[in-house]
Amino acid sequence: MLKRILVLDNNQLILDTIQEALLYEKFEVKITTDSKDIIENIQSYKPHLVILDYKVSGPKGDAICRQIKNNPHLNDTPVIICSAYLSDNDMELCGCDAVISKPFGLAELLDKVNNLVYS
């Protein structure tokens, strides 16, 4: 069974790049630019990992992350926040499991994804 990853970003090029890299690594990937119904999407898709852009329209990535971590049905789902505004030092503040600073390389992305999905 493939591990499922849901990715939210407002940049379609970034979404396409992440999706292609994760598909190549044999993950099942769902991408979206819509943060409005993200919790419902997570509940229905049941991902093994969620990757959130920090600065999206609507609720920001840290607010979405806190919603995930405060939901008893979702709180064990690892969350990575991608941001040009945050660093690893902000993980606790956001409640996420990892931060990837933009711009990022695919090796860093895949390393953090694999560490969280297979740990």
Side-chain angles (χ1 to χ4, degrees):
M1 181 173 117
L2 297 178
K3 298 287 185 173
R4 292 178 305 281
I5 300 176
L6 186 140
V7 185
L8 167 68
D9 200 294
N10 60 350
N11 184 316
Q12 190 64 47
L13 182 59
I14 291 174
L15 282 174
D16 292 342
T17 302
I18 291 173
Q19 181 178 38
E20 186 175 328
L22 294 174
L23 288 172
Y24 182 80
E25 293 293 317
K26 307 295 186 221
F27 290 102
E28 181 181 318
V29 183
K30 180 176 183 177
I31 59 173
T32 183
T33 58
D34 185 11
S35 65
K36 188 177 73 166
D37 297 322
I38 192 68
I39 298 299
E40 291 81 7
N41 280 330
I42 294 167
Q43 289 173 326
S44 64
Y45 187 59
K46 298 179 182 20
H48 295 94
L49 173 74
V50 175
I51 300 174
L52 302 171
D53 182 16
Y54 175 73
K55 199 163 185 164
V56 292
S57 60
K60 300 287 183 258
D62 60 335
I64 296 167
C65 181
R66 284 192 288 277
Q67 287 179 27
I68 294 167
K69 296 301 184 176
N70 290 327
N71 184 317
H73 302 290
L74 303 175
N75 64 6
D76 61 345
T77 305
V79 176
I80 296 174
I81 293 184
C82 295
S83 174
Y85 307 97
L86 301 175
S87 69
D88 285 337
N89 298 330
D90 298 308
M91 283 178 18
E92 192 173 316
L93 176 68
C94 294
C96 62
D97 299 279
V99 171
I100 297 177
S101 297
K102 288 182 176 179
F104 57 87
L106 292 179
E108 177 187 9
L109 172 73
L110 295 173
D111 183 50
K112 289 193 179 189
V113 165
N114 283 314
N115 283 337
L116 289 170
V117 170
Y118 294 111
S119 61

PDB file of all heavy atoms in Angstrom, residues 13-31:
ATOM      1  N   LEU A  13       3.195  25.640  -9.648  1.00  0.00           N
ATOM      2  CA  LEU A  13       4.487  25.091 -10.063  1.00  0.00           C
ATOM      3  C   LEU A  13       5.144  24.307  -8.929  1.00  0.00           C
ATOM      4  O   LEU A  13       5.680  23.215  -9.138  1.00  0.00           O
ATOM      5  CB  LEU A  13       5.420  26.200 -10.552  1.00  0.00           C
ATOM      6  CG  LEU A  13       6.797  25.760 -11.051  1.00  0.00           C
ATOM      7  CD1 LEU A  13       6.686  24.786 -12.208  1.00  0.00           C
ATOM      8  CD2 LEU A  13       7.627  26.962 -11.448  1.00  0.00           C
ATOM      9  N   ILE A  14       5.096  24.852  -7.730  1.00  0.00           N
ATOM     10  CA  ILE A  14       5.644  24.134  -6.569  1.00  0.00           C
ATOM     11  C   ILE A  14       4.858  22.851  -6.329  1.00  0.00           C
ATOM     12  O   ILE A  14       5.442  21.789  -6.090  1.00  0.00           O
ATOM     13  CB  ILE A  14       5.646  25.039  -5.313  1.00  0.00           C
ATOM     14  CG1 ILE A  14       6.684  26.148  -5.491  1.00  0.00           C
ATOM     15  CG2 ILE A  14       5.924  24.228  -4.047  1.00  0.00           C
ATOM     16  CD1 ILE A  14       6.681  27.197  -4.396  1.00  0.00           C
ATOM     17  N   LEU A  15       3.537  22.930  -6.412  1.00  0.00           N
ATOM     18  CA  LEU A  15       2.711  21.730  -6.244  1.00  0.00           C
ATOM     19  C   LEU A  15       3.074  20.660  -7.266  1.00  0.00           C
ATOM     20  O   LEU A  15       3.228  19.483  -6.913  1.00  0.00           O
ATOM     21  CB  LEU A  15       1.223  22.079  -6.380  1.00  0.00           C
ATOM     22  CG  LEU A  15       0.551  22.734  -5.191  1.00  0.00           C
ATOM     23  CD1 LEU A  15      -0.867  23.137  -5.544  1.00  0.00           C
ATOM     24  CD2 LEU A  15       0.567  21.831  -3.982  1.00  0.00           C
ATOM     25  N   ASP A  16       3.194  21.063  -8.513  1.00  0.00           N
ATOM     26  CA  ASP A  16       3.519  20.095  -9.568  1.00  0.00           C
ATOM     27  C   ASP A  16       4.889  19.461  -9.345  1.00  0.00           C
ATOM     28  O   ASP A  16       5.067  18.261  -9.541  1.00  0.00           O
ATOM     29  CB  ASP A  16       3.473  20.775 -10.944  1.00  0.00           C
ATOM     30  CG  ASP A  16       2.069  21.185 -11.350  1.00  0.00           C
ATOM     31  OD1 ASP A  16       1.091  20.673 -10.762  1.00  0.00           O
ATOM     32  OD2 ASP A  16       1.950  22.040 -12.252  1.00  0.00           O
ATOM     33  N   THR A  17       5.854  20.265  -8.905  1.00  0.00           N
ATOM     34  CA  THR A  17       7.208  19.756  -8.664  1.00  0.00           C
ATOM     35  C   THR A  17       7.226  18.776  -7.498  1.00  0.00           C
ATOM     36  O   THR A  17       7.813  17.687  -7.592  1.00  0.00           O
ATOM     37  CB  THR A  17       8.176  20.921  -8.394  1.00  0.00           C
ATOM     38  OG1 THR A  17       8.146  21.808  -9.522  1.00  0.00           O
ATOM     39  CG2 THR A  17       9.594  20.432  -8.176  1.00  0.00           C
ATOM     40  N   ILE A  18       6.568  19.151  -6.399  1.00  0.00           N
ATOM     41  CA  ILE A  18       6.505  18.261  -5.241  1.00  0.00           C
ATOM     42  C   ILE A  18       5.775  16.973  -5.610  1.00  0.00           C
ATOM     43  O   ILE A  18       6.216  15.876  -5.265  1.00  0.00           O
ATOM     44  CB  ILE A  18       5.826  18.960  -4.046  1.00  0.00           C
ATOM     45  CG1 ILE A  18       6.718  20.080  -3.512  1.00  0.00           C
ATOM     46  CG2 ILE A  18       5.493  17.960  -2.949  1.00  0.00           C
ATOM     47  CD1 ILE A  18       6.059  20.930  -2.436  1.00  0.00           C
ATOM     48  N   GLN A  19       4.666  17.110  -6.325  1.00  0.00           N
ATOM     49  CA  GLN A  19       3.904  15.930  -6.712  1.00  0.00           C
ATOM     50  C   GLN A  19       4.742  14.988  -7.567  1.00  0.00           C
ATOM     51  O   GLN A  19       4.775  13.777  -7.334  1.00  0.00           O
ATOM     52  CB  GLN A  19       2.632  16.330  -7.462  1.00  0.00           C
ATOM     53  CG  GLN A  19       1.782  15.128  -7.858  1.00  0.00           C
ATOM     54  CD  GLN A  19       0.509  15.533  -8.565  1.00  0.00           C
ATOM     55  OE1 GLN A  19       0.490  16.474  -9.353  1.00  0.00           O
ATOM     56  NE2 GLN A  19      -0.561  14.825  -8.283  1.00  0.00           N
ATOM     57  N   GLU A  20       5.430  15.525  -8.545  1.00  0.00           N
ATOM     58  CA  GLU A  20       6.258  14.692  -9.424  1.00  0.00           C
ATOM     59  C   GLU A  20       7.356  13.977  -8.632  1.00  0.00           C
ATOM     60  O   GLU A  20       7.586  12.778  -8.818  1.00  0.00           O
ATOM     61  CB  GLU A  20       6.874  15.546 -10.527  1.00  0.00           C
ATOM     62  CG  GLU A  20       7.630  14.730 -11.556  1.00  0.00           C
ATOM     63  CD  GLU A  20       8.126  15.585 -12.701  1.00  0.00           C
ATOM     64  OE1 GLU A  20       7.474  16.584 -13.055  1.00  0.00           O
ATOM     65  OE2 GLU A  20       9.182  15.235 -13.257  1.00  0.00           O
ATOM     66  N   ALA A  21       8.018  14.696  -7.735  1.00  0.00           N
ATOM     67  CA  ALA A  21       9.086  14.091  -6.936  1.00  0.00           C
ATOM     68  C   ALA A  21       8.551  12.989  -6.034  1.00  0.00           C
ATOM     69  O   ALA A  21       9.154  11.913  -5.913  1.00  0.00           O
ATOM     70  CB  ALA A  21       9.785  15.161  -6.103  1.00  0.00           C
ATOM     71  N   LEU A  22       7.394  13.229  -5.400  1.00  0.00           N
ATOM     72  CA  LEU A  22       6.832  12.231  -4.499  1.00  0.00           C
ATOM     73  C   LEU A  22       6.261  11.029  -5.246  1.00  0.00           C
ATOM     74  O   LEU A  22       6.374   9.893  -4.783  1.00  0.00           O
ATOM     75  CB  LEU A  22       5.774  12.869  -3.598  1.00  0.00           C
ATOM     76  CG  LEU A  22       6.299  13.913  -2.611  1.00  0.00           C
ATOM     77  CD1 LEU A  22       5.143  14.585  -1.881  1.00  0.00           C
ATOM     78  CD2 LEU A  22       7.280  13.296  -1.629  1.00  0.00           C
ATOM     79  N   LEU A  23       5.660  11.266  -6.390  1.00  0.00           N
ATOM     80  CA  LEU A  23       5.180  10.145  -7.208  1.00  0.00           C
ATOM     81  C   LEU A  23       6.342   9.263  -7.651  1.00  0.00           C
ATOM     82  O   LEU A  23       6.246   8.030  -7.646  1.00  0.00           O
ATOM     83  CB  LEU A  23       4.399  10.648  -8.425  1.00  0.00           C
ATOM     84  CG  LEU A  23       3.015  11.239  -8.154  1.00  0.00           C
ATOM     85  CD1 LEU A  23       2.454  11.876  -9.428  1.00  0.00           C
ATOM     86  CD2 LEU A  23       2.066  10.190  -7.612  1.00  0.00           C
ATOM     87  N   TYR A  24       7.444   9.880  -8.023  1.00  0.00           N
ATOM     88  CA  TYR A  24       8.643   9.143  -8.436  1.00  0.00           C
ATOM     89  C   TYR A  24       9.150   8.264  -7.290  1.00  0.00           C
ATOM     90  O   TYR A  24       9.660   7.170  -7.513  1.00  0.00           O
ATOM     91  CB  TYR A  24       9.735  10.121  -8.887  1.00  0.00           C
ATOM     92  CG  TYR A  24      10.976   9.432  -9.379  1.00  0.00           C
ATOM     93  CD1 TYR A  24      11.031   8.908 -10.662  1.00  0.00           C
ATOM     94  CD2 TYR A  24      12.087   9.299  -8.559  1.00  0.00           C
ATOM     95  CE1 TYR A  24      12.166   8.248 -11.118  1.00  0.00           C
ATOM     96  CE2 TYR A  24      13.232   8.651  -9.001  1.00  0.00           C
ATOM     97  CZ  TYR A  24      13.264   8.125 -10.280  1.00  0.00           C
ATOM     98  OH  TYR A  24      14.395   7.473 -10.725  1.00  0.00           O
ATOM     99  N   GLU A  25       8.984   8.744  -6.054  1.00  0.00           N
ATOM    100  CA  GLU A  25       9.408   7.993  -4.873  1.00  0.00           C
ATOM    101  C   GLU A  25       8.341   7.011  -4.394  1.00  0.00           C
ATOM    102  O   GLU A  25       8.435   6.456  -3.310  1.00  0.00           O
ATOM    103  CB  GLU A  25       9.776   8.958  -3.745  1.00  0.00           C
ATOM    104  CG  GLU A  25      11.001   9.786  -4.046  1.00  0.00           C
ATOM    105  CD  GLU A  25      12.275   8.961  -4.120  1.00  0.00           C
ATOM    106  OE1 GLU A  25      12.472   8.079  -3.277  1.00  0.00           O
ATOM    107  OE2 GLU A  25      13.075   9.221  -5.044  1.00  0.00           O
ATOM    108  N   LYS A  26       7.297   6.824  -5.192  1.00  0.00           N
ATOM    109  CA  LYS A  26       6.241   5.823  -4.932  1.00  0.00           C
ATOM    110  C   LYS A  26       5.304   6.205  -3.788  1.00  0.00           C
ATOM    111  O   LYS A  26       4.854   5.354  -3.027  1.00  0.00           O
ATOM    112  CB  LYS A  26       6.833   4.435  -4.667  1.00  0.00           C
ATOM    113  CG  LYS A  26       7.784   3.957  -5.736  1.00  0.00           C
ATOM    114  CD  LYS A  26       7.074   3.759  -7.054  1.00  0.00           C
ATOM    115  CE  LYS A  26       8.030   3.148  -8.069  1.00  0.00           C
ATOM    116  NZ  LYS A  26       7.929   3.695  -9.375  1.00  0.00           N
ATOM    117  N   PHE A  27       4.993   7.496  -3.669  1.00  0.00           N
ATOM    118  CA  PHE A  27       3.960   7.950  -2.749  1.00  0.00           C
ATOM    119  C   PHE A  27       2.694   8.231  -3.549  1.00  0.00           C
ATOM    120  O   PHE A  27       2.757   8.548  -4.733  1.00  0.00           O
ATOM    121  CB  PHE A  27       4.376   9.236  -2.038  1.00  0.00           C
ATOM    122  CG  PHE A  27       5.491   9.053  -1.047  1.00  0.00           C
ATOM    123  CD1 PHE A  27       6.784   9.413  -1.359  1.00  0.00           C
ATOM    124  CD2 PHE A  27       5.234   8.526   0.206  1.00  0.00           C
ATOM    125  CE1 PHE A  27       7.820   9.258  -0.449  1.00  0.00           C
ATOM    126  CE2 PHE A  27       6.257   8.359   1.129  1.00  0.00           C
ATOM    127  CZ  PHE A  27       7.547   8.717   0.804  1.00  0.00           C
ATOM    128  N   GLU A  28       1.544   8.104  -2.904  1.00  0.00           N
ATOM    129  CA  GLU A  28       0.288   8.565  -3.477  1.00  0.00           C
ATOM    130  C   GLU A  28       0.147  10.023  -3.045  1.00  0.00           C
ATOM    131  O   GLU A  28       0.326  10.330  -1.860  1.00  0.00           O
ATOM    132  CB  GLU A  28      -0.876   7.740  -2.943  1.00  0.00           C
ATOM    133  CG  GLU A  28      -2.219   8.130  -3.490  1.00  0.00           C
ATOM    134  CD  GLU A  28      -3.342   7.290  -2.900  1.00  0.00           C
ATOM    135  OE1 GLU A  28      -3.178   6.066  -2.759  1.00  0.00           O
ATOM    136  OE2 GLU A  28      -4.372   7.894  -2.573  1.00  0.00           O
ATOM    137  N   VAL A  29      -0.133  10.922  -3.981  1.00  0.00           N
ATOM    138  CA  VAL A  29      -0.095  12.355  -3.672  1.00  0.00           C
ATOM    139  C   VAL A  29      -1.387  13.032  -4.118  1.00  0.00           C
ATOM    140  O   VAL A  29      -1.857  12.838  -5.229  1.00  0.00           O
ATOM    141  CB  VAL A  29       1.102  13.041  -4.385  1.00  0.00           C
ATOM    142  CG1 VAL A  29       1.177  14.504  -3.991  1.00  0.00           C
ATOM    143  CG2 VAL A  29       2.400  12.321  -4.080  1.00  0.00           C
ATOM    144  N   LYS A  30      -1.926  13.846  -3.213  1.00  0.00           N
ATOM    145  CA  LYS A  30      -3.053  14.705  -3.541  1.00  0.00           C
ATOM    146  C   LYS A  30      -2.596  16.136  -3.317  1.00  0.00           C
ATOM    147  O   LYS A  30      -2.046  16.457  -2.262  1.00  0.00           O
ATOM    148  CB  LYS A  30      -4.251  14.393  -2.648  1.00  0.00           C
ATOM    149  CG  LYS A  30      -5.456  15.253  -2.927  1.00  0.00           C
ATOM    150  CD  LYS A  30      -6.640  14.835  -2.077  1.00  0.00           C
ATOM    151  CE  LYS A  30      -7.854  15.667  -2.433  1.00  0.00           C
ATOM    152  NZ  LYS A  30      -9.028  15.233  -1.665  1.00  0.00           N
ATOM    153  N   ILE A  31      -2.797  16.999  -4.314  1.00  0.00           N
ATOM    154  CA  ILE A  31      -2.379  18.392  -4.199  1.00  0.00           C
ATOM    155  C   ILE A  31      -3.599  19.301  -4.244  1.00  0.00           C
ATOM    156  O   ILE A  31      -4.620  18.968  -4.855  1.00  0.00           O
ATOM    157  CB  ILE A  31      -1.365  18.794  -5.298  1.00  0.00           C
ATOM    158  CG1 ILE A  31      -1.951  18.585  -6.691  1.00  0.00           C
ATOM    159  CG2 ILE A  31      -0.061  18.018  -5.135  1.00  0.00           C
ATOM    160  CD1 ILE A  31      -1.082  19.117  -7.828  1.00  0.00           C
TER     161      ILE A  31
END
